[in-house]
Structures are given as structure tokens and as C-alpha cells.
Amino acid sequence: MPRVTTDATPTEAMRSEALAVARALRAAGYEALLCGGAVRDALLGRAPTDYDVATSATPEQGAALFPEAVLVGAQFGVLVLPREAGDVEVATFRSDDAYVDGRRPTGVTFSDPPTDAQRRDFTVNGLFEDPETGAILDHVDGLPDVKRRLVRAIGDPAARFREDHLRILRAVRFAVQLGFAIDPGTMDAIRELAPLVREVSSERLRDELTKLLRHGRGTGLRMLRDAGLLPHVLPEIDAMQGVPQPPNFHPEGDVFVHTCLVLDGARLPEGGEAQPSKEDESVLLWACLLHDIAKPPTKSVDPDGRIRFNGHDKLGVEMSEAILERFKFPNRVIERVGNLIRAHIQIASTPDMRPARLRRFLADPDIEMHLALHAADCGASHGDMRILEFCRGQLAAYADEPIVPAPLLTGADLLAMGFAQGPRIGEILRWVQDGQLEGTILDSEDAARRVRERFSAPTGEDPRG
Ligand code: ATP
Ligand code: MG
């Protein structure tokens, strides 16, 4: 039995875990095969994201064998086996009963490998691998499609898309992720049934679109457009097509072309203390996608022909909030994306900002994300990176000191000085911090003196006390 060794790559370690699970099932007398993306990706020389095992053991039998198993998909019983290298999913060979609401079968019937292969979505996803011999079991003519690099629905594409509408988007996502073409028959069905994606739940749409952007960047968006899906999943992005921009700043073309290029150029910040998380990635990708979302509704043309998008940053925040809420993104993601969009124009005036404002902006916990969006935005248009270099230079200058240091005075200090509780306290503190950041107020004593000088006397006290 293969041991998971410490020098194995994450993929090797995950594969060893999945093989160990399959062998344990076989040793107990059940059939067990690797299936899904892991088989496909191994054939393509790609690192699989997760490992799935298909077995003749029922969920109850599997759970008896693996006490640590967690039962998911309560209705149809899939076991998740938590492993250090990554979860292994174990599902019983099955065929789906009739589908309801374009999403899920009314039930499942446990079956055998050839029947199980038929209920899977695309031929390249319907292959099995024998865990002992490594032999590929192909019940769906998937191997030729792997060679031809083709995403093709198993069975009648239209019928499969009517069963589960998410498959329409999955087809596009796999094409982009794998660099495959979509089979013409499958593509015809996608175009014909595109409006059905409107019925997919917000959460499934959100996750699938995020995967599409992660794996495909701008190409994912172009594919959505080419497949006729854009008006149904992201009408606000569809509206960007054909919206012209000032050619001196945007030689690349219209707002849609620009947005695709920004996505293409999006690079997550690296080299910091913390590695970017999945959430960081979503935030950056959706911020790139939505940063100019309000350009179509704000476009105006001056008498001299100059195109303007006044206020598209502010309206863009509102629109992005509405869109991300529609997709049921967590509030944190909505706030972070809004913060990036709000600043994406202002960042161009950083060299002209007063030090206090500049330092507050540079101290934003998402500053690296602001810079990542800005770099992608510039790279996708005029290519001028001077603002980026300016901000980098400023950040480097504060490498050894806090950009926004601890305050010279606190609210408690002001109360002790006799000021009354209320919004004025906040105003005074901000004024003191401005002075501190601009270098005009030097220390706490200086701050207290200047506050007494400038702000009206606290009740019952001599201002110059
Ligand atoms: P990746 O993990 O890289 O996204 P994958 O092919 O492993 O790709 P999963 O979503 O992990 O995709 O699903 C595992 C397998 O389950 C798929 O390969 C496919 O055979 C089957 N499957 C998943 N979702 C569906 C669906 N909506 N309809 C039919 N079969 C599906
Ligand atoms: Mg998978």
C-alpha cells in the first residue's frame, strides 16, 4: 500500500490517499474506481483539484468501512473522507431518476460503472481508472475526445442541459479550463438553451462564474459572450459591448474589450507575509470584472466629441453591490470589491494627494489589491505605470515605520480634557491625525496644546487653562 511520504507533491499525496481508499473498498469486496476530473486531468498531465472514487458499496457500507466519513448530499448519499492531503469523495455507482426544476434528480438508483458513466455530464468527465492497473475504462467514448481536446455532452446535449441547466456553464468552464473546443452539437444546444441559465440558483452560478474567471480570465468572459450566455448571466457586462472609450486613454477598444484585457492581466499580489486566499482571488477577479460596470449608464459625449463617464466609480460601487448581492456573495467580499472600485479612479491622483490622505490610502489593508487592480487596468489600456511606481515608492519609504502611526490623542484624552461625548470628538481626532500625518503636530503634548487653541473651550474650563 503506498504511503503518503512527506516529499510527495500535493497531487501525488492526494492521489495516494484516493488510491488507498479505492484499495480498501476493494479489499472489503466492493468495486472501486477513480473517476471524474482526476482521471481526465491525469491523462492530460494536469494536476487534479480533487479526487473522486466511484464504488459499488452503498453509502452505509462505505460509512461502516470509514468511520471518519462525513455524509454529504443527504438525499443521495456521497461520502467525504477527510484526508490531510485533501478530501476524497466516495459516491456509489448510480443512475439519476427524473430531473426536477432543472437542477436535481428526484432520486437515484444504485447501479454499475457503465450506467454511472452515462449520468455524468461530458465524455471527458465520464472516464474511470482502475486503481490497481491504471487501466482506463471508457464507457462513453471519452478517450478520443481527450485526444481531440473536445468538450462533448454524454448523450443528447439538449436533453442533458434541460436536466441540469448548470451543465451549460460547466461546458464553457471546462473548455476554458482545459483549453478544449466545444463539440459543435454541444455548442448548438448551449446557444439554443442559453436562457435556461437564468434558472440556475445564485450560489451555483456564482461558484461556476468564479471558476470560469479563475481558470479562463478574459477568455472565460469572451467565451460566455460567444456562447450567447452573457445577456442571461451578466446583462450589465453584456451592455459594455460597443460602448466606445476615449482612444487616447483606451487604444484597445470598447469597455467590454478593456474589461477582458484587465481580467487577462490580473495578478494576485505575491511575496507578502500571507499567501493570497481563495477570497482574495475572488475579490480581485470580480473587481476586475466589475470595475467599469457603470461606464455604459454614465457615458456622455461633450460637444467636441470627447467621451466621458462621470461618476462611474461611485455608481459602479452601487451596481457592483447589487450584482454581488444577487449572486449571494458574502458581505465581506461585497465590501472589499466595492472598496476597490470606489478607489480605482482616485488612485490616479495619489501623487497630488496631501500626505494625510495619501498615507491613509496606503494604509488600506487592501492596498496590494488596489495596486493589482490598477496595474491590470493600466496594462489593459494606456500602459502607463507611473502611478503604480509612485505608490510602490511611497510604500517602500514607509517600510520601517507604520504608515499611519498610533494616534497622539485618543477619545479618552479629549474627554479628560473636558470635551463632551459626541461627533465632535471624532472631528477633533481626525484633525489631530491629519496634523500628525502631515508632520505639523509633533507629539501628544503639542497635540493637546493645539487642540485647546483651536477648538472651542470645553465647558467650564478656560481654553488656555
Ligand atoms: P474540477 O474538479 O476540476 O472542477 P471535475 O470534473 O472533477 O472537475 P467536479 O465538479 O469535481 O468536476 O465533479 C466530479 C465529476 O462528477 C465530474 O467529472 C462529472 O463526472 C460529475 N459531475 C459533476 N457535476 C455534474 C453535473 N452537474 N452533471 C453531471 N455530472 C456531473
Ligand atoms: Mg473534481
Side-chain angles (χ1 to χ4, degrees):
M1 198 179 265
R3 283 278 120 225
V4 180
T5 55
T6 42
D7 53 355
T9 66
T11 308
E12 285 165 354
M14 273 207 298
R15 188 177 167 83
S16 302
E17 300 281 23
L19 288 175
V21 168
R23 287 187 182 121
L25 283 160
R26 285 188 162 196
Y30 305 108
E31 174 59 302
L33 300 166
L34 294 188
C35 63
V39 180
R40 175 200 70 215
D41 289 344
L43 286 169
L44 291 166
R46 302 169 60 94
T49 48
D50 46 38
Y51 279 82
D52 295 303
V53 172
T55 180
S56 60
T58 63
E60 291 73 28
Q61 291 166 334
L65 208 53
F66 304 104
E68 74 281 18
V70 182
L71 186 71
V72 296
Q75 265 179 306
F76 311 137
V78 172
L79 297 178
V80 173
L81 306 186
R83 293 289 183 271
E84 204 171 313
D87 295 350
V88 178
E89 275 195 23
V90 179
T92 310
F93 299 127
R94 64 190 59 196
S95 60
D96 294 334
D97 299 346
Y99 271 72
V100 284
D101 64 23
R103 188 157 98 81
R104 57 181 170 220
T106 42
V108 300
T109 308
F110 295 138
S111 65
D112 49 27
T115 317
D116 181 85
Q118 294 302 321
R119 58 105 186 166
R120 294 175 181 272
D121 47 7
F122 305 106
T123 61
V124 294
N125 289 351
L127 301 168
F128 294 115
E129 182 185 328
D130 184 306
E132 305 292 343
T133 64
I136 301 294
L137 298 136
D138 183 4
H139 302 292
V140 292
D141 275 340
L143 275 173
D145 288 338
V146 172
K147 291 211 180 70
R148 286 184 294 177
R149 308 181 71 80
L150 212 54
V151 174
R152 186 163 63 87
I154 294 173
D156 173 30
R160 305 309 309 283
F161 293 150
R162 284 204 182 89
E163 284 175 354
D164 178 355
H165 310 330
L166 184 74
R167 291 175 187 154
I168 296 174
L169 276 169
R170 280 174 60 92
V172 173
R173 195 252 297 176
F174 284 116
V176 165
Q177 179 175 336
L178 305 172
F180 280 24
I182 297 179
D183 171 74
T186 298
M187 194 60 172
D188 287 347
I190 293 175
R191 292 220 173 83
E192 183 200 329
L193 301 175
L196 291 182
V197 297
R198 291 171 180 267
E199 291 167 32
V200 175
S201 76
S202 321
E203 294 88 345
R204 291 179 95 201
L205 265 182
R206 171 197 67 207
D207 293 345
E208 202 54 42
L209 287 173
T210 302
K211 284 184 192 172
L212 180 76
L213 296 177
R214 177 185 308 140
H215 295 292
R217 304 291 164 118
T219 305
L221 197 52
R222 293 179 197 101
M223 284 276 286
L224 273 188
R225 191 259 321 264
D226 295 345
L229 295 168
L230 214 41
H232 306 297
V233 286
L234 288 163
E236 300 89 344
I237 300 283
D238 191 46
M240 293 173 163
Q241 293 193 77
V243 176
Q245 310 190 89
N248 46 337
F249 292 115
H250 287 284
E252 74 279 10
D254 70 22
V255 182
F256 180 78
V257 170
H258 169 68
T259 299
C260 291
L261 290 170
V262 173
L263 278 165
D264 285 336
R267 297 281 171 275
L268 273 167
E270 278 171 26
E273 283 154 31
Q275 281 302 304
S277 64
K278 274 259 151 68
E279 182 190 287
D280 293 336
E281 189 183 39
S282 290
V283 166
L284 182 61
L285 292 172
W286 283 86
C288 288
L289 179 71
L290 299 174
H291 76 290
D292 279 345
I293 196 71
K295 274 191 169 177
T298 56
K299 175 176 163 265
S300 66
V301 186
D302 289 354
D304 65 2
R306 187 185 155 149
I307 303 164
R308 292 182 188 278
F309 304 100
N310 287 339
H312 83 270
D313 45 353
K314 189 164 171 287
L315 182 61
V317 176
E318 286 171 33
M319 289 178 69
S320 76
E321 280 170 1
I323 293 168
L324 297 173
E325 271 167 23
R326 195 165 82 209
F327 286 119
K328 302 208 165 67
F329 271 94
N331 285 338
R332 241 183 82 81
V333 170
I334 300 177
E335 274 166 31
R336 290 180 70 192
V337 171
N339 181 32
L340 293 183
I341 297 178
R342 186 178 299 108
H344 89 279
I345 306 291
Q346 287 167 20
I347 194 172
S349 48
T350 43
D352 307 317
M353 283 180 188
R354 296 190 49 186
R357 181 146 179 245
L358 176 63
R359 290 173 73 167
R360 282 198 191 99
F361 174 66
L362 295 175
D364 185 318
D366 256 343
I367 183 63
E368 286 299 333
M369 300 286 273
H370 285 290
L371 296 182
L373 173 61
H374 179 71
D377 199 5
C378 296
S381 48
H382 48 70
D384 186 337
M385 297 292 168
R386 275 177 295 182
I387 300 291
L388 180 70
E389 282 152 23
F390 170 79
C391 289
R392 283 254 164 269
Q394 291 293 309
L395 284 171
Y398 290 108
D400 300 324
E401 55 173 309
I403 303 172
V404 173
L408 296 175
L409 289 183
T410 64
D413 294 330
L414 293 182
L415 293 178
M417 286 164 69
F419 286 95
Q421 192 78 260
R424 192 156 172 75
I425 295 274
E427 283 164 35
I428 299 174
L429 289 178
R430 191 166 170 96
W431 181 83
V432 173
Q433 194 184 46
D434 276 352
Q436 180 186 16
L437 295 177
E438 310 261 324
T440 54
I441 299 179
L442 303 174
D443 54 32
S444 299
E445 256 174 49
D446 189 26
R449 188 174 48 78
R450 302 273 292 278
V451 164
R452 285 200 185 89
E453 268 169 26
R454 181 174 168 110
F455 293 95
S456 56
T459 38
E461 245 185 64
D462 180 346
R464 264 153 265 282

